[in-house]
Amino acid sequence: MFTASGRGTPVDRCRTHPDECNRLARAPILDVDGYLDSIERCQHRFPELRILTGVEFGQPHLHEAQASHLLDLGVIDRVLGSLHTLEVGDDRSEPNTLFRKWSADEVMWAYLDEIPRMVAGSRTFEVFTHIDYAVRAWPIESAGPFDPRRFEEGFRNAMRAIADSDRILEMNTRRLWPWITQWWSEEGGKAVTFGSDAHVPEALAANFPEATAMLAHYGFRPGQRPEEYWTR
């Protein structure tokens, strides 16, 4: 595990030498016992809060056995699935790296084409997260502003696969895209959840008021409790 800041850290090296990011950014093995102990201590310290357990599986269709083993423990309340990397030969790379090697359109289509395969190849997650993940690294300097209409068919196919599998789509509030909500509802999506993707405490629940208003416009309504999915 590498540190998040500081001169000369691996992260600094990753920023200045992006081709090395995949080698450097290796997540540590999840300490399930330590995580559950932390949750229990938080629940004890803040009894007035309802604190749920959760896990995000990256590329779960490639690690189905390991993901299933964790779920068999019966201790995880909410299970997310995410797509962060794409196949490159015998390895996998993040979109931010691939945008420097492939054309921007090629990266986007490869990402969108992989989503239905991930949905079909895994039964371990219930929420698909940040469907706009590849868009975050879109190379605006070389490719111009991102236009979702150029990739509408790919986004809709991906959303249809998620909806047809009775899964939920996360409305990631790091960026609010009305077209995601619109296309999700038009492709049969019946439920959403919210995620601020907060990597720092100050960003927790950022843009939730705007996101809820947008979802309400497309017919989604909250559940009886705050943690429940919004449905239509």
Side-chain angles (χ1 to χ4, degrees):
M1 182 176 182
F2 51 74
T3 57
S5 62
R7 183 181 300 276
T9 65
V11 169
D12 291 326
R13 180 72 178 171
C14 186
R15 292 189 182 116
T16 57
H17 296 75
D19 288 344
E20 296 186 17
C21 284
N22 298 308
R23 178 177 61 81
L24 293 169
R26 301 300 184 188
I29 296 175
L30 175 63
D31 178 5
V32 178
D33 292 336
Y35 170 68
L36 295 176
D37 179 66
S38 296
I39 292 292
E40 185 177 356
R41 285 188 281 110
C42 288
Q43 291 170 335
H44 178 75
R45 184 176 178 182
F46 304 101
E48 71 279 10
L49 298 180
R50 179 173 170 80
I51 302 175
L52 304 180
T53 58
V55 66
E56 177 180 334
F57 289 135
Q59 298 72 242
H61 58 313
L62 305 180
H63 311 285
E64 188 73 355
Q66 297 95 315
S68 296
H69 174 71
L70 176 58
L71 296 187
D72 287 343
L73 299 177
V75 294
I76 303 299
D77 297 310
R78 183 156 296 179
V79 182
L80 314 180
S82 57
L83 180 60
H84 292 114
T85 63
L86 297 171
E87 184 176 356
V88 183
D90 295 330
D91 202 357
R92 297 184 69 88
S93 290
E94 289 253 0
N96 62 341
T97 298
L98 293 177
F99 277 127
R100 296 176 174 88
K101 298 181 178 181
W102 302 350
S103 72
D105 282 27
E106 187 177 4
V107 175
M108 279 303 307
W109 283 114
Y111 186 87
L112 294 172
D113 289 344
E114 182 77 3
I115 293 175
R117 290 194 288 270
M118 173 177 148
V119 171
S122 176
R123 295 175 295 175
T124 55
F125 71 96
E126 57 183 329
V127 179
F128 188 92
T129 67
H130 44 59
I131 198 170
D132 66 336
Y133 185 74
V135 181
R136 296 177 182 179
W138 179 262
I140 189 171
E141 297 83 2
S142 59
F146 178 75
D147 182 358
R149 293 170 297 182
R150 288 169 53 191
F151 308 99
E152 180 173 350
E153 180 181 357
F155 274 105
R156 285 185 178 272
N157 286 340
M159 291 177 183
R160 195 177 308 120
I162 297 168
D164 288 348
S165 68
D166 293 323
R167 287 182 169 99
I168 293 89
L169 187 67
E170 177 202 59
M171 291 295 121
N172 193 283
T173 63
R174 177 176 289 191
R175 291 184 180 180
L176 294 178
W177 302 107
W179 51 270
I180 289 182
T181 308
Q182 178 185 343
W183 294 349
W184 173 244
S185 62
E186 291 175 351
E187 294 304 328
K190 294 182 173 59
V192 298
T193 187
F194 299 90
S196 54
D197 214 341
H199 290 202
V200 294
E202 296 78 16
L204 189 65
N207 301 318
F208 272 29
E210 295 84 355
T212 56
M214 185 173 66
L215 267 294
H217 174 76
Y218 287 99
F220 291 89
R221 297 292 181 265
Q224 295 182 348
R225 297 190 300 192
E227 72 274 11
E228 291 181 351
Y229 301 128
W230 281 44
T231 58
R232 61 192 298 268

